[in-house]
Amino acid sequence: MTSVAAAELPWGDVWGQHEAVSTLQRAAHDEGSPAHAWLITGPPGSGRSTLAHAFAAALIANTPDDHATMRQVLAGTHPDLMALRTEGVIITIKQARALVDRSYFGPSLGRYRVIVMEDADRMTERTSNVLLKALEEPPEQTIWLLCAPSEADLLPTIRSRVRTLRLREPEVDDVARLIVERTGADVDVAEQAARHSQRHIGMAQRLATDTASRQRRDESLRAVLGGRTIGDVVEVAGRIVQAATDDAKALTAERDEAERASLLRTVGVPEGSRVPPAVRAQIQALEEDQKRRATRSLRDGLDRVLTDMQSVYRDVVMLQHDRQEGIINLEVIDDLRRVAGEWSQERTLRVIDHITDTRAAIEQNAQPALALESLLVTVVSGNRL
């Protein structure tokens, strides 16, 4: 972010959200006080957190040309910025209370103190109530920026105390062009990635640059479409869970090892040496954090598989209504047409509903393999257990 040209600060990394940027620019430079709390909503990959941090930079900067402060905020090192992006399953009450406690301090250098909560949808009801008190009695120079996929992801009591800004969803061609510019990926690969990610910019970038991720997606969907009997269910479910597990490990293993090595260097333990008893508690705490992150990463991986499955049966519904434009999974169009011809529309909608329920069940700690087996029984039989 620090490479953004001065003329583009702090909005240079925000992409495709011109109306939202205009709204926030006016709010940041309003002679009156901007709203004390904002909720930025939009589909995954729409740039919610990027926009929130750009807005934070504009709010904290003392003048519109205070580029040094803006760069510091965008780098995450300014004392008047506090940001939370949980890598666990939920935002804990402890984390929320830490934000609330800090919110009552006035700004030290900038115009405002800004609190950014990137994953506000991961608050439980009890955690939301902790935040609610801070939103009901906001300090004069503190501004909260919450990010979530939709307003419905937060309690009504929270929604009633924030100003909501909804982001637009980019088009497939727009995302593909961005991926080509950012990564130099082949145009056809970028278009496929943008389509398969359903315009999620981060996921599209990963698919365009990671052949293994593209293969895992393709193999998982072909396995689901190829399932014919109840006997196939256990095997396919196991393969999907294993693929998601491998994906999660690939994303976290290298980082976990680097964090452990960094901690040991910090406390003066040479590489390969025995860990002293005095340091074991710190190592254990790190490992607990890493386990929580691994759980979140696995659930996110399974959620991506379910999102991909949902896109398949969304395509089937479109074909059943004689709609050809906007098909996401063109690579398996023959299979999609076969299913569209063999199934009733009611059966397709039943499968889509079960996918939604499976996503919720896994988020509530259901055993992934069993949840997927139940879903796949519905896929191959047309009936829910």
Side-chain angles (χ1 to χ4, degrees):
M1 286 187 180
T2 55
S3 63
V4 176
E8 298 175 335
L9 286 168
W11 311 100
D13 283 332
V14 179
W15 177 83
Q17 302 293 345
H18 304 297
E19 292 182 8
V21 168
S22 295
T23 297
L24 297 183
Q25 283 176 327
R26 290 194 297 271
H29 302 301
D30 189 349
E31 292 183 2
S33 298
H36 73 281
W38 295 70
L39 172 60
I40 301 175
T41 67
S46 59
R48 300 185 304 254
S49 62
T50 301
L51 185 62
H53 283 273
F55 187 30
L59 289 167
I60 294 171
N62 291 292
T63 63
D65 59 354
D66 184 4
H67 299 145
T69 293
M70 293 180 190
R71 288 192 178 93
Q72 194 175 0
V73 174
L74 294 173
T77 58
H78 196 283
D80 292 330
L81 172 72
M82 188 169 185
L84 174 63
R85 181 183 185 277
T86 182
E87 294 181 320
V89 175
I90 60 170
I91 292 175
T92 65
I93 289 180
K94 180 179 179 181
Q95 289 172 316
R97 283 177 177 157
L99 291 180
V100 169
D101 290 345
R102 287 288 297 275
S103 74
Y104 289 104
F105 289 92
S108 57
L109 297 174
R111 291 187 301 151
Y112 295 97
R113 178 173 294 278
V114 180
I115 314 291
V116 178
M117 184 181 286
E118 296 188 19
D119 301 292
D121 54 306
R122 293 185 183 176
M123 288 189 293
T124 63
E125 184 173 351
R126 290 180 61 204
T127 305
S128 296
N129 288 332
V130 171
L131 176 61
L132 183 60
K133 293 182 179 179
L135 297 181
E136 288 175 335
E137 302 173 0
E140 185 176 348
Q141 289 181 284
T142 294
I143 295 178
W144 287 84
L145 306 179
L146 312 181
C147 302
S150 71
E151 293 176 80
D153 292 310
L154 299 181
L155 294 179
T157 48
I158 297 288
R159 300 200 301 266
S160 67
R161 288 164 174 79
V162 300
R163 177 176 174 181
T164 299
L165 182 68
R166 298 178 184 87
L167 303 189
R168 63 177 288 271
E169 191 170 7
E171 297 298 326
V172 168
D173 290 344
D174 294 333
V175 174
R177 280 194 296 272
L178 179 67
I179 298 306
V180 171
E181 292 172 8
R182 284 185 175 179
T183 69
D186 178 80
V187 172
D188 291 338
V189 171
E191 186 277 334
Q192 183 192 71
R195 184 162 34 84
H196 286 177
S197 68
Q198 298 178 63
R199 296 169 285 187
H200 184 303
I201 297 171
M203 185 52 58
Q205 186 163 321
R206 185 172 180 219
L207 287 172
T209 57
D210 187 346
T211 303
S213 293
R214 296 199 299 273
Q215 281 184 323
R216 278 193 289 270
R217 182 187 190 279
D218 183 71
E219 289 169 1
S220 295
L221 294 189
R222 289 184 186 278
V224 170
L225 287 167
R228 292 289 202 280
T229 67
I230 299 297
D232 297 331
V233 165
V234 174
E235 179 188 353
V236 173
R239 286 165 59 186
I240 290 174
V241 172
Q242 188 60 53
T245 302
D246 292 343
D247 204 27
K249 287 180 179 178
L251 288 171
T252 60
E254 186 175 342
R255 181 176 174 184
D256 289 352
E257 186 58 37
E259 286 176 344
R260 179 184 173 89
S262 176
L263 175 59
L264 291 175
R265 284 196 303 272
T266 300
V267 297
V269 178
E271 184 177 352
S273 300
R274 179 175 173 274
V275 177
V279 179
R280 288 174 188 166
Q282 296 179 58
I283 294 292
Q284 185 175 4
L286 174 63
E287 289 174 347
E288 289 298 320
D289 286 341
Q290 291 175 341
K291 285 180 183 177
R292 284 190 285 271
R293 185 168 66 206
T295 299
R296 179 75 261 168
S297 184
L298 175 57
R299 288 189 183 178
D300 287 347
L302 290 169
D303 192 73
R304 283 193 295 273
V305 173
L306 292 169
T307 298
D308 291 336
M309 286 180 62
Q310 205 161 38
S311 75
V312 165
Y313 296 106
R314 170 260 189 202
D315 287 346
V316 170
V317 169
M318 290 185 65
L319 292 172
Q320 288 173 330
H321 285 85
D322 296 322
R323 295 276 303 277
Q324 303 292 327
E325 291 185 7
I327 297 296
I328 293 170
N329 300 283
L330 292 172
E331 292 71 21
V332 290
I333 189 66
D334 291 340
D335 286 321
L336 297 178
R337 286 180 175 138
R338 172 183 57 78
V339 173
E342 293 175 355
W343 289 14
S344 67
Q345 293 178 20
E346 291 77 11
R347 176 174 175 176
T348 310
L349 294 175
R350 193 178 305 126
V351 168
I352 291 174
D353 286 342
H354 200 164
I355 292 172
T356 300
D357 294 343
T358 302
R359 176 181 283 114
I362 290 175
E363 192 63 32
Q364 295 298 318
N365 218 23
Q367 212 284 332
L370 293 178
L372 283 168
E373 286 173 14
S374 175
L375 169 60
L376 292 174
V377 167
T378 300
V379 170
V380 300
S381 71
N383 299 307
R384 294 193 66 159
L385 293 176

